[in-house]
Coordinates of all heavy atoms in Angstrom, one line a residue:
V18 N -3.3 16.1 9.1 CA -3.2 15.4 7.8 C -4.5 15.9 7.0 O -5.6 15.8 7.5 CB -2.9 14.0 7.8 CG1 -4.1 13.2 8.4 CG2 -2.7 13.4 6.5
Y19 N -4.3 16.1 5.7 CA -5.5 16.4 4.9 C -5.1 16.0 3.5 O -4.0 15.7 3.1 CB -5.9 17.9 4.9 CG -4.7 18.8 4.5 CD1 -4.7 19.3 3.0 CD2 -3.8 19.3 5.3 CE1 -3.7 20.1 2.7 CE2 -2.7 20.1 4.8 CZ -2.7 20.5 3.5 OH -1.7 21.4 3.0
G20 N -6.1 15.8 2.7 CA -6.0 15.5 1.3 C -6.8 16.2 0.4 O -7.2 17.5 0.6
S21 N -7.3 15.6 -0.7 CA -8.1 16.4 -1.7 C -9.6 16.7 -1.1 O -10.0 16.0 -0.1 CB -8.3 15.5 -2.9 OG -8.9 14.2 -2.6
K22 N -10.1 17.6 -1.7 CA -11.5 18.0 -1.2 C -12.6 17.1 -1.8 O -12.5 16.5 -2.8 CB -11.9 19.4 -1.7 CG -11.0 20.6 -1.1 CD -11.4 21.8 -1.6 CE -10.5 22.9 -0.9 NZ -10.8 24.2 -1.3
A23 N -13.6 16.9 -1.0 CA -14.7 16.0 -1.4 C -15.5 16.7 -2.4 O -15.3 17.9 -2.8 CB -15.6 15.8 -0.1
A24 N -16.5 16.0 -3.0 CA -17.3 16.6 -4.1 C -18.1 17.9 -3.7 O -18.3 18.7 -4.4 CB -18.3 15.6 -4.6
D25 N -18.3 17.9 -2.4 CA -19.1 19.1 -1.9 C -18.2 20.2 -1.5 O -18.6 21.3 -1.0 CB -20.0 18.7 -0.6 CG -19.1 18.2 0.5 OD1 -17.9 18.2 0.5 OD2 -19.7 17.9 1.6
G26 N -16.9 20.1 -1.7 CA -15.9 21.3 -1.6 C -15.3 21.2 -0.2 O -14.4 22.0 0.2
Q27 N -15.9 20.3 0.7 CA -15.2 20.2 2.1 C -13.9 19.4 2.1 O -13.7 18.4 1.3 CB -16.3 19.5 3.0 CG -17.6 20.2 3.1 CD -17.4 21.5 3.9 OE1 -16.8 21.5 4.9 NE2 -18.0 22.6 3.4
Q28 N -13.0 19.8 2.9 CA -11.7 19.0 3.1 C -11.6 18.4 4.5 O -11.9 19.0 5.4 CB -10.6 20.0 2.9 CG -9.3 19.3 2.8 CD -8.2 20.1 2.3 OE1 -8.2 21.3 2.7 NE2 -7.5 19.7 1.4
Q29 N -11.4 17.1 4.5 CA -11.3 16.4 5.8 C -10.0 16.7 6.4 O -9.0 16.6 5.7 CB -11.4 14.9 5.5 CG -11.3 14.1 6.8 CD -12.6 14.2 7.7 OE1 -13.6 14.4 7.2 NE2 -12.5 13.9 8.9
V30 N -9.9 17.0 7.7 CA -8.7 17.3 8.3 C -8.6 16.4 9.5 O -9.6 16.3 10.3 CB -8.7 18.8 8.9 CG1 -7.4 19.0 9.8 CG2 -8.6 19.7 7.8
I31 N -7.5 15.7 9.7 CA -7.4 14.7 10.8 C -6.2 15.0 11.7 O -5.1 15.3 11.1 CB -7.2 13.3 10.2 CG1 -8.3 12.9 9.2 CG2 -7.0 12.3 11.3 CD1 -8.0 11.8 8.3
C32 N -6.5 15.2 13.0 CA -5.4 15.5 13.9 C -4.7 14.3 14.2 O -5.2 13.2 14.4 CB -6.0 16.0 15.3 SG -6.8 17.7 15.0
L33 N -3.3 14.5 14.4 CA -2.4 13.2 14.5 C -1.7 13.4 15.9 O -1.3 14.5 16.3 CB -1.4 13.2 13.5 CG -1.9 13.1 12.1 CD1 -0.7 13.3 11.1 CD2 -2.7 11.8 11.7
S34 N -1.5 12.2 16.5 CA -0.6 12.2 17.7 C 0.9 12.3 17.2 O 1.1 12.1 15.9 CB -0.8 10.8 18.4 OG -0.2 9.8 17.5
N35 N 1.8 12.6 18.0 CA 3.1 12.7 17.5 C 3.7 11.4 17.0 O 4.4 11.6 16.0 CB 4.1 13.1 18.7 CG 3.9 14.6 19.1 OD1 3.4 15.4 18.3 ND2 4.1 14.9 20.4
S36 N 3.3 10.4 17.5 CA 3.9 9.0 17.0 C 3.2 8.6 15.7 O 4.0 8.2 14.8 CB 3.7 7.8 18.1 OG 2.2 7.8 18.4
T37 N 2.0 9.0 15.5 CA 1.3 8.7 14.2 C 1.9 9.7 13.1 O 2.1 9.3 12.0 CB -0.2 8.9 14.3 OG1 -0.7 8.1 15.3 CG2 -0.8 8.7 13.0
A38 N 2.1 10.9 13.5 CA 2.8 11.9 12.6 C 4.2 11.3 12.1 O 4.4 11.3 10.9 CB 2.9 13.3 13.1
W39 N 4.9 11.0 13.1 CA 6.3 10.4 12.8 C 6.2 9.2 11.8 O 6.9 9.1 10.8 CB 7.0 10.0 14.0 CG 8.2 9.3 13.8 CD1 9.5 9.9 13.6 CD2 8.4 7.8 13.7 NE1 10.4 8.9 13.2 CE2 9.8 7.6 13.4 CE3 7.6 6.7 13.8 CZ2 10.4 6.3 13.1 CZ3 8.1 5.4 13.5 CH2 9.5 5.3 13.2
L40 N 5.3 8.3 12.1 CA 5.2 7.1 11.2 C 4.8 7.5 9.8 O 5.4 7.1 8.8 CB 4.1 6.2 11.8 CG 3.9 5.0 10.9 CD1 5.1 4.1 10.8 CD2 2.7 4.1 11.5
L41 N 3.7 8.3 9.7 CA 3.3 8.7 8.4 C 4.4 9.5 7.6 O 4.4 9.4 6.4 CB 1.9 9.5 8.5 CG 0.8 8.7 9.0 CD1 -0.4 9.5 9.2 CD2 0.5 7.4 8.4
E42 N 5.1 10.3 8.3 CA 6.2 11.1 7.7 C 7.3 10.0 7.2 O 7.8 10.3 6.0 CB 6.8 12.0 8.6 CG 6.0 13.2 8.8 CD 6.4 14.1 10.1 OE1 7.2 13.5 10.8 OE2 5.9 15.2 10.2
Q43 N 7.5 9.0 7.9 CA 8.4 7.9 7.4 C 7.9 7.2 6.2 O 8.7 6.7 5.3 CB 8.8 7.0 8.5 CG 9.3 7.5 9.7 CD 10.4 8.4 9.6 OE1 11.5 8.1 9.0 NE2 10.3 9.7 10.0
L44 N 6.5 7.0 6.1 CA 5.9 6.2 5.0 C 5.6 7.0 3.9 O 5.4 6.3 2.7 CB 4.7 5.6 5.5 CG 4.9 4.6 6.7 CD1 3.5 4.1 7.2 CD2 5.8 3.3 6.3
A45 N 5.6 8.3 3.9 CA 5.2 9.1 2.8 C 6.1 8.9 1.6 O 7.3 8.7 1.6 CB 5.3 10.6 3.2
G46 N 5.5 8.6 0.4 CA 6.1 8.3 -0.8 C 6.7 6.9 -1.1 O 7.5 6.7 -2.1
K47 N 6.5 6.0 -0.2 CA 6.9 4.7 -0.2 C 5.8 3.7 -0.3 O 4.8 3.8 0.4 CB 7.8 4.4 1.0 CG 9.0 5.3 1.2 CD 9.7 5.1 2.4 CE 10.7 6.1 2.8 NZ 11.3 5.9 4.2
E48 N 6.2 2.6 -0.9 CA 5.2 1.3 -0.7 C 5.6 0.8 0.6 O 6.8 0.6 1.0 CB 5.5 0.4 -1.9 CG 5.2 0.9 -3.2 CD 3.7 0.7 -3.5 OE1 3.0 -0.2 -2.9 OE2 3.1 1.4 -4.5
F49 N 4.5 0.2 1.3 CA 4.8 -0.4 2.6 C 3.7 -1.4 2.9 O 2.6 -1.4 2.4 CB 4.8 0.6 3.7 CG 3.6 1.4 3.9 CD1 2.6 0.9 4.9 CD2 3.3 2.6 3.2 CE1 1.4 1.6 5.1 CE2 2.2 3.2 3.4 CZ 1.3 2.9 4.3
T50 N 4.0 -2.3 3.8 CA 2.9 -3.2 4.4 C 2.7 -2.9 5.7 O 3.5 -2.1 6.4 CB 3.6 -4.6 4.4 OG1 4.6 -4.8 5.3 CG2 4.0 -5.1 3.0
T51 N 1.6 -3.4 6.3 CA 1.2 -3.2 7.7 C 2.3 -3.7 8.7 O 2.8 -3.0 9.6 CB -0.1 -3.8 8.0 OG1 -1.1 -3.3 7.1 CG2 -0.5 -3.5 9.4
D52 N 2.9 -4.9 8.3 CA 3.9 -5.4 9.1 C 5.1 -4.6 9.2 O 5.8 -4.4 10.3 CB 4.4 -6.9 8.5 CG 3.3 -7.9 8.8 OD1 2.4 -7.6 9.7 OD2 3.3 -8.9 8.2
E53 N 5.5 -3.9 8.0 CA 6.7 -3.0 8.0 C 6.4 -1.8 8.9 O 7.3 -1.3 9.7 CB 6.9 -2.5 6.6 CG 7.6 -3.6 5.7 CD 7.7 -3.3 4.2 OE1 6.9 -2.4 3.8 OE2 8.5 -3.9 3.6
A54 N 5.3 -1.3 8.8 CA 4.8 -0.2 9.8 C 4.8 -0.5 11.2 O 5.4 0.2 12.0 CB 3.5 0.3 9.3
V55 N 4.4 -1.8 11.5 CA 4.4 -2.1 12.9 C 5.9 -2.4 13.3 O 6.2 -1.9 14.5 CB 3.7 -3.6 13.0 CG1 3.9 -4.2 14.4 CG2 2.2 -3.3 12.8
S56 N 6.7 -2.9 12.6 CA 8.2 -3.0 12.9 C 8.7 -1.7 13.2 O 9.5 -1.5 14.1 CB 8.8 -3.7 11.8 OG 10.2 -3.9 12.0
M57 N 8.5 -0.7 12.3 CA 9.0 0.7 12.5 C 8.7 1.2 13.9 O 9.5 1.8 14.6 CB 8.6 1.5 11.4 CG 9.1 1.2 10.1 SD 8.4 2.2 8.7 CE 9.1 3.7 9.1
V58 N 7.3 1.1 14.2 CA 6.8 1.7 15.4 C 7.4 1.0 16.6 O 7.8 1.6 17.6 CB 5.2 1.6 15.5 CG1 4.8 1.9 16.9 CG2 4.7 2.6 14.5
C59 N 7.5 -0.4 16.6 CA 8.0 -1.1 17.7 C 9.5 -0.8 17.9 O 10.1 -0.9 19.0 CB 7.9 -2.6 17.5 SG 6.1 -3.1 17.7
S60 N 10.2 -0.5 16.8 CA 11.7 -0.1 16.9 C 11.9 1.2 17.5 O 12.9 1.4 18.3 CB 12.3 -0.2 15.6 OG 12.3 -1.4 15.0
R61 N 10.9 2.1 17.3 CA 11.1 3.4 17.9 C 10.5 3.7 19.2 O 10.9 4.5 20.0 CB 10.5 4.4 16.9 CG 10.7 6.0 17.3 CD 10.5 6.9 16.2 NE 10.4 8.2 16.6 CZ 11.4 9.0 16.5 NH1 12.6 8.7 16.1 NH2 11.2 10.3 16.9
Y62 N 9.3 3.1 19.5 CA 8.7 3.2 20.6 C 8.5 2.1 21.5 O 8.6 0.9 21.0 CB 7.2 3.8 20.3 CG 7.1 5.1 19.6 CD1 7.0 5.1 18.2 CD2 7.3 6.3 20.3 CE1 7.0 6.3 17.5 CE2 7.3 7.5 19.5 CZ 7.1 7.4 18.2 OH 7.1 8.7 17.6
D63 N 8.2 2.2 22.8 CA 8.2 1.0 23.8 C 6.7 0.5 23.7 O 5.9 0.9 24.5 CB 8.5 1.5 25.2 CG 8.5 0.4 26.2 OD1 8.7 -0.9 25.6 OD2 8.3 0.6 27.3
V64 N 6.4 -0.2 22.6 CA 5.1 -0.8 22.4 C 5.2 -2.2 21.9 O 6.2 -2.5 21.1 CB 4.2 0.2 21.5 CG1 4.9 0.2 20.1 CG2 2.8 -0.3 21.4
D65 N 4.3 -3.2 22.3 CA 4.4 -4.5 21.8 C 3.6 -4.5 20.4 O 2.9 -3.6 20.0 CB 3.7 -5.4 22.7 CG 2.2 -5.0 22.9 OD1 1.4 -5.6 22.1 OD2 1.9 -4.2 23.9
A66 N 4.0 -5.5 19.6 CA 3.5 -5.7 18.2 C 2.0 -5.7 18.1 O 1.4 -5.2 17.3 CB 4.2 -6.9 17.5
E67 N 1.4 -6.4 19.1 CA -0.1 -6.5 19.0 C -0.8 -5.1 19.2 O -1.7 -4.7 18.5 CB -0.5 -7.4 20.2 CG -2.0 -7.6 20.2 CD -2.5 -8.6 21.3 OE1 -1.7 -9.5 21.6 OE2 -3.6 -8.3 21.8
T68 N -0.2 -4.3 20.2 CA -0.8 -2.9 20.3 C -0.5 -2.2 19.2 O -1.3 -1.3 18.7 CB -0.1 -2.2 21.6 OG1 -0.6 -3.1 22.8 CG2 -0.8 -0.9 21.8
A69 N 0.7 -2.1 18.7 CA 1.1 -1.4 17.4 C 0.2 -1.8 16.3 O -0.3 -0.9 15.6 CB 2.6 -1.6 17.1
L70 N 0.0 -3.0 16.1 CA -0.9 -3.4 14.9 C -2.3 -3.0 15.0 O -2.9 -2.5 14.1 CB -0.9 -5.0 14.9 CG -1.8 -5.6 13.9 CD1 -1.4 -5.1 12.4 CD2 -1.8 -7.1 13.9
R71 N -2.8 -2.9 16.3 CA -4.2 -2.5 16.5 C -4.3 -1.0 16.2 O -5.2 -0.5 15.4 CB -4.7 -2.7 17.9 CG -6.0 -2.4 18.1 CD -6.5 -2.6 19.7 NE -5.7 -1.7 20.5 CZ -4.9 -2.1 21.5 NH1 -4.8 -3.3 21.8 NH2 -4.3 -1.1 22.2
D72 N -3.4 -0.2 16.7 CA -3.4 1.2 16.5 C -3.1 1.6 15.1 O -3.8 2.5 14.5 CB -2.3 1.9 17.4 CG -2.7 1.8 18.9 OD1 -3.9 1.4 19.2 OD2 -1.8 2.1 19.7
I73 N -2.1 0.9 14.4 CA -1.8 1.3 13.0 C -2.9 0.9 12.1 O -3.3 1.7 11.2 CB -0.5 0.6 12.7 CG1 0.7 1.2 13.3 CG2 -0.3 0.6 11.2 CD1 2.0 0.5 13.3
S74 N -3.6 -0.3 12.4 CA -4.8 -0.6 11.6 C -5.9 0.3 11.7 O -6.5 0.7 10.6 CB -5.3 -2.1 12.0 OG -4.2 -3.0 11.7
S75 N -6.0 0.9 12.8 CA -7.0 2.0 13.0 C -6.8 3.3 12.1 O -7.6 3.8 11.5 CB -7.3 2.3 14.4 OG -7.7 1.3 15.2
V76 N -5.5 3.6 12.1 CA -5.1 4.8 11.5 C -5.2 4.6 9.9 O -5.7 5.3 9.2 CB -3.6 5.2 11.8 CG1 -3.0 6.3 10.9 CG2 -3.6 5.7 13.2
L77 N -4.8 3.4 9.5 CA -4.9 3.1 8.1 C -6.3 3.0 7.5 O -6.6 3.5 6.4 CB -4.1 1.8 7.8 CG -2.5 1.8 8.0 CD1 -1.9 0.5 7.7 CD2 -1.8 3.0 7.2
D78 N -7.1 2.5 8.4 CA -8.6 2.4 8.0 C -9.1 3.8 7.8 O -9.9 4.1 6.8 CB -9.4 1.7 9.1 CG -9.2 0.2 9.1 OD1 -8.5 -0.4 8.0 OD2 -9.5 -0.4 10.1
I79 N -8.8 4.7 8.8 CA -9.3 6.2 8.7 C -8.7 6.8 7.5 O -9.5 7.5 6.7 CB -8.8 7.0 9.9 CG1 -9.6 6.5 11.1 CG2 -9.1 8.5 9.7 CD1 -9.1 6.9 12.5
L80 N -7.4 6.6 7.1 CA -6.8 7.2 6.0 C -7.4 6.7 4.7 O -7.7 7.4 3.7 CB -5.3 7.0 5.8 CG -4.5 7.7 7.0 CD1 -3.1 7.2 7.0 CD2 -4.7 9.2 6.9
Y81 N -7.7 5.3 4.6 CA -8.3 4.8 3.5 C -9.7 5.3 3.2 O -10.1 5.6 2.2 CB -8.4 3.2 3.7 CG -8.9 2.5 2.5 CD1 -8.1 2.4 1.2 CD2 -10.1 1.8 2.5 CE1 -8.6 1.8 0.1 CE2 -10.6 1.3 1.4 CZ -9.9 1.2 0.1 OH -10.4 0.6 -0.9
A82 N -10.4 5.4 4.3 CA -11.9 6.0 4.2 C -11.8 7.4 3.7 O -12.9 7.8 3.2 CB -12.5 5.9 5.5
N83 N -10.7 8.0 3.9 CA -10.7 9.5 3.4 C -9.8 9.6 2.2 O -9.3 10.7 1.8 CB -10.2 10.4 4.6 CG -11.1 10.6 5.7 OD1 -12.1 11.4 5.5 ND2 -11.1 9.8 6.8
T84 N -9.6 8.6 1.4 CA -9.0 8.5 0.2 C -7.5 9.0 0.2 O -6.9 9.5 -0.6 CB -9.6 9.2 -0.9 OG1 -9.7 10.6 -0.7 CG2 -11.1 8.7 -1.2

Side-chain angles (χ1 to χ4, degrees):
V18 64
Y19 61 93
S21 59
K22 291 183 180 179
D25 63 3
Q27 298 293 317
Q28 188 168 43
Q29 182 72 26
V30 176
I31 303 164
C32 294
L33 304 174
S34 68
N35 289 336
S36 57
T37 301
W39 173 84
L40 176 63
L41 296 179
E42 287 167 345
Q43 304 308 303
L44 297 175
K47 302 175 187 172
E48 293 278 336
F49 63 93
T50 65
T51 304
D52 289 341
E53 290 169 333
V55 167
S56 178
M57 291 171 71
V58 168
C59 289
S60 294
R61 179 162 173 104
Y62 298 99
D63 183 24
V64 63
D65 62 89
E67 183 179 324
T68 301
L70 176 59
R71 184 184 66 237
D72 293 348
I73 290 168
S74 294
S75 294
V76 169
L77 295 179
D78 288 346
I79 291 167
L80 294 176
Y81 184 72
N83 287 283
T84 67

